[in-house]
Amino acid sequence: MGCVYDARKEMPGWDVSGLDETNWGMSKMDLGAQAKLEAHPGAPIRRMMEVPAKQISEPKPGIYIFDLGQNMVGWVRFKAKGQAGQKVTLRHAEMLNPDGTLYTNNLRAAKATDTFYLAGGGKRAYEPYFTFHGFRYVEVSGLEQKPELGDITGIVVYSDLARAGWFECSEPLVNKLTLNSLWGQWGNFLDVPTDCPQRDERAGWTGDAQVFMKTACFNLDAPAFYTKWLVDLCQDSQRTDGAFGDVAPHLSIVGYGNTGWADSGPVCNWRMYELYGDTRVPEEHYPALVRYMDYLANTSKGFVRGTGAYGDWLRLAGPQHSDAIGTAYYYYTASLMVRLAEALGKKEDAEKYRQLAKNIRTTFAQNFIKEDGRIIDSKNETGQSSYALAFGLDLVPSETKERVAEQFVASLHKENDHLATGFLGTAFVLFALQKAGHPELAYKVVLNKTYPSWLQQVIWGSTTMWERWDGWRPDKGFQDPGMNSFNHYWLGCVSEWLFTQAAGIDTDGPGFKRIKIKPEIVSPELGFSWVKASYDSLRGKISSAWRFRDRRFELDITIPGNSTATVYIPAKAPADVTESGQPVSQAKGVHFLRQEGGLSIFEVGSGRYAFRS
């Protein structure tokens, strides 16, 4: 809502020694409190950077709009001079109306307003307390004289997490897209992974969190952040029947156990092990995960699961609610429980969940995959998300892959090779297109510059990820203000694909002890002509930089100490590959493993390597 600050009530010297506190009251102790007190287990929220105002306008007399040029989260430091008690009001918003005034309809009940009563005297700086806002624009009113551009500075705050990943490529719009994904994470990582920071919500929606978590961990060094939040999710939000909440920390106005949201329990615990080799966190929450799997068994029918309240939220075509989608997610959680049980040495549980996953996979193929390759649910509906999940989770039997792939591609062609997926399908679709044998189509989807697409948002001026593909359009204006956030990180999940597939950096087992360097290469006419990325893993920096030059493919990589990498080079034979200018067969520390599908595959230890083919 904001802050009211009366500078006339300031008490100079209260924070230094020698203050006369004889008129101060004593603290009162509540001896009946039963709360369990513990040290905060996560990363502290801090001021992380400052953003100066870029422009100033006056859409109405005495109403000044400052544009910071970036949708950010925090507050502003503003400088003002006026009489003692003079009221100055600051309002915050993400967008402007056509007349240049603040667009606040999408804030719903949030006032996002800070009110200051000036101290008098000369010009000085003011800041609010106990509040933060999501905004790009600041409206200032109540001044007696026109402000200067330097009078407003944005103070960016978020959980103090070091940046971990960097990505660049030959397409500048994609580079801006990755920054938008990062800014969206900064704005929504204040101790809880919120869905949006600006309106009257700011809830830790679990569906957003699980589809974005791997991207989040590539962007920022986040194990402490998730260690804390998984307590919110697995210990504090679980219902007695085993269902996890749709929001963590839980809010009484939302539900439990919905597909893609409650599944964040297994998904996010798995990510902790996958990316950080952390068994302590999943071991702590393992009993809660077992209770959740029991909940799924009790609420599914013959290994078929529905989608619950939200389904493929914000999809543009295809069914929102589909038992094909729900059953695919049921398989996803069961298969992750196999891996978690194995990691924790729980062999009997691993076998139990392996059999469950097998049964779900068989049921999926029998119930939803038709002879002609279509994936159709019980309502005779189909959509891109069903195919994305089926291929993304390896649910398609080998004998039907070709036909299902044709239907998958047809679902993209039907939308002019654009996405129609929602929350549950979008995170899988690019990987699924690769597995279906169409990496060129994955690149096309990423590089689309028309609606709906990631780059269209960039072209329309986004500086963070939007909740909707078309939160604002130049031809139609704003989307439904009831749900129209301009800082919603879920669509930023595309960065996971950019890091792991376009750049080819991924873990090959828990915690990057083994690393996979396998960039997805298509011709530069269909994809990128160069990519450069690095990731500060817990074992050290991993880098991958590739380019096409003079009909030659070049790949430079860095592998940290005490790690081993499998490297995939597009070459018809190992003899076609050199390392630092010499035949790869003579290169120190490089071992040829096998030839597979037009790729020469090598194993390397720690160090720097330069492959050419």
mmCIF file of all heavy atoms in Angstrom, residues 221-247:
data_model
loop_
_atom_site.group_PDB
_atom_site.id
_atom_site.type_symbol
_atom_site.label_atom_id
_atom_site.label_comp_id
_atom_site.label_asym_id
_atom_site.label_seq_id
_atom_site.Cartn_x
_atom_site.Cartn_y
_atom_site.Cartn_z
ATOM 1 N N ASP A 221 22.716 -17.268 -7.903
ATOM 2 C CA ASP A 221 23.184 -18.325 -7.011
ATOM 3 C C ASP A 221 22.153 -18.470 -5.886
ATOM 4 O O ASP A 221 22.192 -17.746 -4.892
ATOM 5 C CB ASP A 221 24.554 -17.945 -6.462
ATOM 6 C CG ASP A 221 25.179 -19.078 -5.672
ATOM 7 O OD1 ASP A 221 24.989 -20.243 -6.062
ATOM 8 O OD2 ASP A 221 25.846 -18.802 -4.666
ATOM 9 N N ALA A 222 21.249 -19.435 -6.016
ATOM 10 C CA ALA A 222 20.017 -19.421 -5.228
ATOM 11 C C ALA A 222 19.817 -20.557 -4.227
ATOM 12 O O ALA A 222 18.699 -20.718 -3.740
ATOM 13 C CB ALA A 222 18.827 -19.398 -6.189
ATOM 14 N N PRO A 223 20.807 -21.370 -3.862
ATOM 15 C CA PRO A 223 20.496 -22.478 -2.957
ATOM 16 C C PRO A 223 19.980 -22.039 -1.595
ATOM 17 O O PRO A 223 19.079 -22.671 -1.032
ATOM 18 C CB PRO A 223 21.824 -23.236 -2.836
ATOM 19 C CG PRO A 223 22.875 -22.266 -3.251
ATOM 20 C CD PRO A 223 22.226 -21.402 -4.290
ATOM 21 N N ALA A 224 20.526 -20.953 -1.041
ATOM 22 C CA ALA A 224 20.032 -20.490 0.264
ATOM 23 C C ALA A 224 18.594 -20.008 0.162
ATOM 24 O O ALA A 224 17.769 -20.248 1.056
ATOM 25 C CB ALA A 224 20.928 -19.371 0.796
ATOM 26 N N PHE A 225 18.278 -19.342 -0.928
ATOM 27 C CA PHE A 225 16.920 -18.837 -1.148
ATOM 28 C C PHE A 225 15.916 -19.986 -1.154
ATOM 29 O O PHE A 225 14.885 -19.943 -0.479
ATOM 30 C CB PHE A 225 16.875 -18.083 -2.476
ATOM 31 C CG PHE A 225 15.530 -17.489 -2.814
ATOM 32 C CD1 PHE A 225 15.207 -16.210 -2.389
ATOM 33 C CD2 PHE A 225 14.602 -18.196 -3.571
ATOM 34 C CE1 PHE A 225 13.977 -15.654 -2.712
ATOM 35 C CE2 PHE A 225 13.383 -17.644 -3.887
ATOM 36 C CZ PHE A 225 13.060 -16.367 -3.461
ATOM 37 N N TYR A 226 16.219 -21.049 -1.901
ATOM 38 C CA TYR A 226 15.280 -22.163 -2.003
ATOM 39 C C TYR A 226 15.292 -23.042 -0.757
ATOM 40 O O TYR A 226 14.284 -23.673 -0.436
ATOM 41 C CB TYR A 226 15.569 -22.987 -3.255
ATOM 42 C CG TYR A 226 15.071 -22.320 -4.508
ATOM 43 C CD1 TYR A 226 15.956 -21.773 -5.428
ATOM 44 C CD2 TYR A 226 13.709 -22.214 -4.770
ATOM 45 C CE1 TYR A 226 15.501 -21.149 -6.575
ATOM 46 C CE2 TYR A 226 13.247 -21.585 -5.910
ATOM 47 C CZ TYR A 226 14.143 -21.054 -6.804
ATOM 48 O OH TYR A 226 13.686 -20.431 -7.933
ATOM 49 N N THR A 227 16.424 -23.074 -0.051
ATOM 50 C CA THR A 227 16.444 -23.809 1.213
ATOM 51 C C THR A 227 15.381 -23.249 2.151
ATOM 52 O O THR A 227 14.634 -23.990 2.796
ATOM 53 C CB THR A 227 17.830 -23.720 1.870
ATOM 54 O OG1 THR A 227 18.789 -24.372 1.021
ATOM 55 C CG2 THR A 227 17.840 -24.382 3.231
ATOM 56 N N LYS A 228 15.302 -21.934 2.209
ATOM 57 C CA LYS A 228 14.297 -21.290 3.059
ATOM 58 C C LYS A 228 12.895 -21.524 2.510
ATOM 59 O O LYS A 228 11.963 -21.898 3.234
ATOM 60 C CB LYS A 228 14.605 -19.794 3.157
ATOM 61 C CG LYS A 228 13.604 -19.007 4.017
ATOM 62 C CD LYS A 228 12.478 -18.426 3.193
ATOM 63 C CE LYS A 228 11.482 -17.685 4.078
ATOM 64 N NZ LYS A 228 10.302 -17.251 3.299
ATOM 65 N N TRP A 229 12.703 -21.297 1.192
ATOM 66 C CA TRP A 229 11.341 -21.343 0.647
ATOM 67 C C TRP A 229 10.773 -22.760 0.666
ATOM 68 O O TRP A 229 9.551 -22.932 0.807
ATOM 69 C CB TRP A 229 11.307 -20.782 -0.773
ATOM 70 C CG TRP A 229 9.913 -20.751 -1.321
ATOM 71 C CD1 TRP A 229 8.907 -19.924 -0.931
ATOM 72 C CD2 TRP A 229 9.367 -21.603 -2.331
ATOM 73 N NE1 TRP A 229 7.763 -20.193 -1.638
ATOM 74 C CE2 TRP A 229 8.017 -21.220 -2.509
ATOM 75 C CE3 TRP A 229 9.890 -22.636 -3.112
ATOM 76 C CZ2 TRP A 229 7.186 -21.847 -3.443
ATOM 77 C CZ3 TRP A 229 9.057 -23.247 -4.027
ATOM 78 C CH2 TRP A 229 7.726 -22.863 -4.187
ATOM 79 N N LEU A 230 11.608 -23.764 0.536
ATOM 80 C CA LEU A 230 11.089 -25.130 0.575
ATOM 81 C C LEU A 230 10.564 -25.500 1.963
ATOM 82 O O LEU A 230 9.750 -26.424 2.089
ATOM 83 C CB LEU A 230 12.147 -26.113 0.090
ATOM 84 C CG LEU A 230 12.322 -26.120 -1.427
ATOM 85 C CD1 LEU A 230 13.561 -26.899 -1.841
ATOM 86 C CD2 LEU A 230 11.089 -26.683 -2.116
ATOM 87 N N VAL A 231 10.984 -24.792 3.001
ATOM 88 C CA VAL A 231 10.344 -24.939 4.310
ATOM 89 C C VAL A 231 8.932 -24.353 4.244
ATOM 90 O O VAL A 231 7.961 -24.954 4.732
ATOM 91 C CB VAL A 231 11.176 -24.253 5.412
ATOM 92 C CG1 VAL A 231 10.435 -24.288 6.746
ATOM 93 C CG2 VAL A 231 12.532 -24.933 5.539
ATOM 94 N N ASP A 232 8.801 -23.169 3.656
ATOM 95 C CA ASP A 232 7.478 -22.571 3.471
ATOM 96 C C ASP A 232 6.542 -23.532 2.748
ATOM 97 O O ASP A 232 5.359 -23.662 3.092
ATOM 98 C CB ASP A 232 7.574 -21.290 2.637
ATOM 99 C CG ASP A 232 8.387 -20.195 3.306
ATOM 100 O OD1 ASP A 232 8.532 -20.236 4.537
ATOM 101 O OD2 ASP A 232 8.867 -19.299 2.589
ATOM 102 N N LEU A 233 7.083 -24.187 1.717
ATOM 103 C CA LEU A 233 6.262 -25.051 0.873
ATOM 104 C C LEU A 233 5.982 -26.399 1.521
ATOM 105 O O LEU A 233 4.817 -26.792 1.689
ATOM 106 C CB LEU A 233 6.961 -25.263 -0.476
ATOM 107 C CG LEU A 233 6.329 -26.292 -1.423
ATOM 108 C CD1 LEU A 233 4.956 -25.823 -1.871
ATOM 109 C CD2 LEU A 233 7.234 -26.540 -2.622
ATOM 110 N N CYS A 234 7.041 -27.113 1.878
ATOM 111 C CA CYS A 234 6.885 -28.522 2.254
ATOM 112 C C CYS A 234 6.503 -28.726 3.714
ATOM 113 O O CYS A 234 5.887 -29.743 4.049
ATOM 114 C CB CYS A 234 8.164 -29.292 1.937
ATOM 115 S SG CYS A 234 8.577 -29.338 0.184
ATOM 116 N N GLN A 235 6.870 -27.798 4.579
ATOM 117 C CA GLN A 235 6.538 -27.972 5.988
ATOM 118 C C GLN A 235 5.341 -27.132 6.407
ATOM 119 O O GLN A 235 4.515 -27.575 7.205
ATOM 120 C CB GLN A 235 7.747 -27.627 6.853
ATOM 121 C CG GLN A 235 8.914 -28.577 6.646
ATOM 122 C CD GLN A 235 10.034 -28.356 7.649
ATOM 123 O OE1 GLN A 235 9.811 -27.818 8.729
ATOM 124 N NE2 GLN A 235 11.237 -28.765 7.294
ATOM 125 N N ASP A 236 5.255 -25.912 5.866
ATOM 126 C CA ASP A 236 4.226 -24.996 6.358
ATOM 127 C C ASP A 236 2.963 -24.961 5.510
ATOM 128 O O ASP A 236 1.925 -24.491 5.982
ATOM 129 C CB ASP A 236 4.797 -23.578 6.459
ATOM 130 C CG ASP A 236 5.956 -23.498 7.439
ATOM 131 O OD1 ASP A 236 6.065 -24.393 8.297
ATOM 132 O OD2 ASP A 236 6.751 -22.541 7.348
ATOM 133 N N SER A 237 3.025 -25.400 4.249
ATOM 134 C CA SER A 237 1.839 -25.287 3.396
ATOM 135 C C SER A 237 1.135 -26.616 3.169
ATOM 136 O O SER A 237 0.111 -26.650 2.489
ATOM 137 C CB SER A 237 2.210 -24.679 2.032
ATOM 138 O OG SER A 237 2.617 -25.683 1.113
ATOM 139 N N GLN A 238 1.672 -27.717 3.687
ATOM 140 C CA GLN A 238 1.073 -29.017 3.375
ATOM 141 C C GLN A 238 -0.161 -29.273 4.239
ATOM 142 O O GLN A 238 -0.143 -29.097 5.452
ATOM 143 C CB GLN A 238 2.082 -30.146 3.575
ATOM 144 C CG GLN A 238 1.583 -31.485 3.032
ATOM 145 C CD GLN A 238 2.663 -32.554 3.052
ATOM 146 O OE1 GLN A 238 3.429 -32.656 4.004
ATOM 147 N NE2 GLN A 238 2.737 -33.356 1.999
ATOM 148 N N ARG A 239 -1.221 -29.699 3.593
ATOM 149 C CA ARG A 239 -2.468 -30.047 4.280
ATOM 150 C C ARG A 239 -2.344 -31.443 4.881
ATOM 151 O O ARG A 239 -1.473 -32.225 4.500
ATOM 152 C CB ARG A 239 -3.624 -29.980 3.282
ATOM 153 C CG ARG A 239 -5.001 -29.815 3.887
ATOM 154 C CD ARG A 239 -6.003 -29.417 2.828
ATOM 155 N NE ARG A 239 -6.089 -30.383 1.725
ATOM 156 C CZ ARG A 239 -6.852 -30.209 0.643
ATOM 157 N NH1 ARG A 239 -7.571 -29.105 0.514
ATOM 158 N NH2 ARG A 239 -6.868 -31.118 -0.313
ATOM 159 N N THR A 240 -3.224 -31.779 5.803
ATOM 160 C CA THR A 240 -3.124 -33.071 6.492
ATOM 161 C C THR A 240 -3.279 -34.256 5.545
ATOM 162 O O THR A 240 -2.769 -35.346 5.838
ATOM 163 C CB THR A 240 -4.182 -33.166 7.600
ATOM 164 O OG1 THR A 240 -5.478 -32.907 7.032
ATOM 165 C CG2 THR A 240 -3.903 -32.150 8.702
ATOM 166 N N ASP A 241 -3.967 -34.065 4.413
ATOM 167 C CA ASP A 241 -4.121 -35.177 3.472
ATOM 168 C C ASP A 241 -2.935 -35.306 2.523
ATOM 169 O O ASP A 241 -2.929 -36.171 1.648
ATOM 170 C CB ASP A 241 -5.415 -35.025 2.673
ATOM 171 C CG ASP A 241 -5.443 -33.784 1.788
ATOM 172 O OD1 ASP A 241 -4.487 -32.984 1.842
ATOM 173 O OD2 ASP A 241 -6.434 -33.599 1.046
ATOM 174 N N GLY A 242 -1.923 -34.461 2.679
ATOM 175 C CA GLY A 242 -0.712 -34.556 1.873
ATOM 176 C C GLY A 242 -0.604 -33.547 0.759
ATOM 177 O O GLY A 242 0.474 -33.405 0.157
ATOM 178 N N ALA A 243 -1.674 -32.830 0.439
ATOM 179 C CA ALA A 243 -1.644 -31.870 -0.659
ATOM 180 C C ALA A 243 -0.815 -30.648 -0.279
ATOM 181 O O ALA A 243 -0.952 -30.112 0.826
ATOM 182 C CB ALA A 243 -3.056 -31.446 -1.030
ATOM 183 N N PHE A 244 0.031 -30.210 -1.202
ATOM 184 C CA PHE A 244 0.749 -28.954 -1.024
ATOM 185 C C PHE A 244 -0.126 -27.801 -1.481
ATOM 186 O O PHE A 244 -0.977 -27.941 -2.358
ATOM 187 C CB PHE A 244 2.053 -28.947 -1.821
ATOM 188 C CG PHE A 244 3.097 -29.891 -1.301
ATOM 189 C CD1 PHE A 244 3.620 -30.892 -2.104
ATOM 190 C CD2 PHE A 244 3.564 -29.781 -0.007
ATOM 191 C CE1 PHE A 244 4.595 -31.760 -1.637
ATOM 192 C CE2 PHE A 244 4.533 -30.650 0.491
ATOM 193 C CZ PHE A 244 5.043 -31.639 -0.328
ATOM 194 N N GLY A 245 0.126 -26.622 -0.902
ATOM 195 C CA GLY A 245 -0.663 -25.450 -1.260
ATOM 196 C C GLY A 245 -0.293 -24.887 -2.612
ATOM 197 O O GLY A 245 0.811 -25.092 -3.123
ATOM 198 N N ASP A 246 -1.223 -24.134 -3.178
ATOM 199 C CA ASP A 246 -0.968 -23.451 -4.445
ATOM 200 C C ASP A 246 -0.046 -22.254 -4.254
ATOM 201 O O ASP A 246 0.519 -21.748 -5.223
ATOM 202 C CB ASP A 246 -2.282 -22.961 -5.056
ATOM 203 C CG ASP A 246 -3.261 -24.096 -5.297
ATOM 204 O OD1 ASP A 246 -2.810 -25.240 -5.472
ATOM 205 O OD2 ASP A 246 -4.479 -23.844 -5.303
ATOM 206 N N VAL A 247 0.072 -21.816 -3.008
ATOM 207 C CA VAL A 247 0.895 -20.661 -2.662
ATOM 208 C C VAL A 247 1.690 -21.021 -1.405
ATOM 209 O O VAL A 247 1.171 -21.660 -0.499
ATOM 210 C CB VAL A 247 0.013 -19.420 -2.397
ATOM 211 C CG1 VAL A 247 0.792 -18.342 -1.676
ATOM 212 C CG2 VAL A 247 -0.546 -18.870 -3.699
#
